[in-house]
Amino acid sequence: MNPRYLLLSICAVLLAGCGGTPANQVLLMPAPDVYEEGNIDPFVDNDPISAGGEPRMLYATDRQPAGPDDKFDYYSDARANALRVGEARIKLGLDETITWEEARRISLLKNRTEDYPLEVAEVVEYGPLARTVRPLDDNIEPRPEPGDRFAREIDERLARSANKDVFIYVHGYKVTFENPILVASELWHFLGYQGAFIAYSWPSTTRRVAYMSDLDDAANSARSLRGLILHIAENTNAERIHVLGYSAGTRVVSRMLADLGMYGFLMDKDEIERRVRLGNVILVGSDVDRGILGGYLVDGALRIPDALTIYQSAQDKALGMSRLVFGKSRSGEAFDPSVTVGPNARRFFEEHPELRIIDVTNAEGGTAGNGHGYFRSSPWVSSDVLMTLLYDLPPEERGLERRDEGGIPTWVFPPDYIERLRVALAKANPALAGSADASAP
């Protein structure tokens, strides 16, 4: 076997989603440690569970709808030329007798004795988003109704929430349509169903050897993600739109940022905020070439969001293999502390505090498995990600510590990180803190 092909195959295995779990199912992630011992309860009286309902996840996908002979239930892994929007109903797959109210209690337990799978029970498509339909496509008629309905659904969720933000999750490599729906559902669950959450499902394939073609699909999907964000900004009451990209999905997110950087090239910051409304953009386990991402940032991408956070690890085996395959460092790999950057790079980092680099290597659970899926497997990292999205606290206010090895400001997790974070949240929102001591040092 060609050595490069062998490396690519190994890389594909390491970057793949959870093995051993059915394609249309995920196991409920561990509770973020910030909620441990009941000190902070994320749920409020106006969430859908308290109202006697069940969470319905909004989605956007540029996958082709599944045909009668497909092996897929809802959407295939083939690329479509329009972004379809809709909503999905989620169920607990383990036991039909478990209600969502019970799931809310179970989900906060530190040491669960059982696995709790989530499954997609039903999908309702509204239709293609008109602005994403390509003019050369005669098979899809652009109509305003799907986009209007999608905007109304977002506003309904925002109306019942104290938080008026929209959150978008963009998945990684080798998963089906259902995976981002389910991951977004558990993330929204641990956000206490605040704001409105959208799962973005780009057409990654379920074949490991299709990794390279998936990279083309990721680049293609950046246009649809850009259209989705502009549609939300122009047609809803969202105050801010936050985006969380994972693994190969960070290619979609970073290219979207680059495109919006060109879109806003002649705009001042106030106009960009008014037209785009991007808040926190978070890249986790990013498989983007570090040089390519750096080019995006200096060419204007960094002007678009309020903050760009890049989580990195020195023990991410999947990205280590990706570096061997491509011969270039990945954005999600920790910087080599023995390498010192020059004065120009130092000046760039100091002049752009909105660029936040966080090293998860020492976070609890940060190196579990192949060290790549830490945003769900590490209760510390999930706490940090979710509280960033919900409260927009900068790293120094969340309890992280700054390191400047090599001249690059990097934030790390201290041993007492969770205690620090609880104190910070008690100050940011005393209503969330039960027994958390806001006066602790």
Side-chain angles (χ1 to χ4, degrees), residues 265-317:
F265 183 73
L266 297 178
M267 301 177 191
D268 60 26
K269 187 63 175 175
D270 288 342
E271 186 175 4
I272 290 173
E273 290 183 0
R274 185 173 66 255
R275 288 178 176 267
V276 184
R277 302 191 209 170
L278 265 188
N280 285 288
V281 174
I282 299 176
L283 307 181
V284 178
S286 177
D287 190 32
V288 179
D289 180 308
R290 187 177 290 168
I292 291 176
L293 180 61
Y296 291 162
L297 300 186
V298 299
D299 284 345
L302 203 50
R303 299 177 65 231
I304 303 302
D306 292 340
L308 173 63
T309 301
I310 304 174
Y311 285 87
Q312 299 182 335
S313 174
Q315 299 296 324
D316 190 325
K317 298 181 179 63

Side-chain angles (χ1 to χ4, degrees), residues 375-439:
F375 87 101
R376 291 181 65 239
S377 63
S378 167
W380 283 21
V381 178
S382 62
S383 294
D384 200 63
V385 169
L386 293 175
M387 295 307 102
T388 299
L389 292 173
L390 199 55
Y391 290 101
D392 194 26
L393 296 175
E396 64 272 19
E397 294 183 23
R398 299 198 306 269
L400 298 177
E401 289 185 347
R402 176 167 163 160
R403 297 284 187 270
D404 289 284
E405 295 176 342
I408 300 175
T410 302
W411 298 90
V412 299
F413 290 79
D416 61 343
Y417 163 71
I418 290 298
E419 290 74 15
R420 293 183 181 203
L421 181 59
R422 287 185 183 138
V423 170
L425 295 186
K427 292 178 180 177
N429 186 354
L432 268 184
S435 58
D437 182 7
S439 63

Side-chain angles (χ1 to χ4, degrees), residues 32-65:
D33 267 359
V34 70
Y35 299 141
E36 187 185 353
E37 300 171 358
N39 283 343
I40 293 178
D41 184 353
F43 301 106
V44 292
D45 291 338
N46 62 352
D47 70 70
I49 294 176
S50 297
E54 57 186 357
R56 287 181 173 264
M57 177 54 54
L58 295 174
Y59 73 83
T61 184
D62 48 358
R63 296 171 182 261
Q64 287 279 7

Side-chain angles (χ1 to χ4, degrees), residues 57-66 74-76 78-88 123-133 137-143 146-147 150 177 181 198-203 221 224-225 227-228 231:
M57 177 54 54
L58 295 174
Y59 73 83
T61 184
D62 48 358
R63 296 171 182 261
Q64 287 279 7
Y74 305 107
Y75 296 91
S76 73
R79 181 193 298 179
N81 287 327
L83 187 70
R84 297 174 182 273
V85 294
E87 65 179 80
V123 166
V124 177
E125 183 189 295
Y126 305 157
L129 195 62
R131 72 187 305 148
T132 67
V133 177
D137 192 339
D138 296 324
N139 298 317
I140 303 176
E141 181 68 28
R143 298 180 297 109
F150 195 66
F177 162 78
I181 306 290
I198 300 169
Y200 186 94
S201 185
W202 58 279
S221 291
S224 295
L225 179 58
L228 174 65
H231 178 78

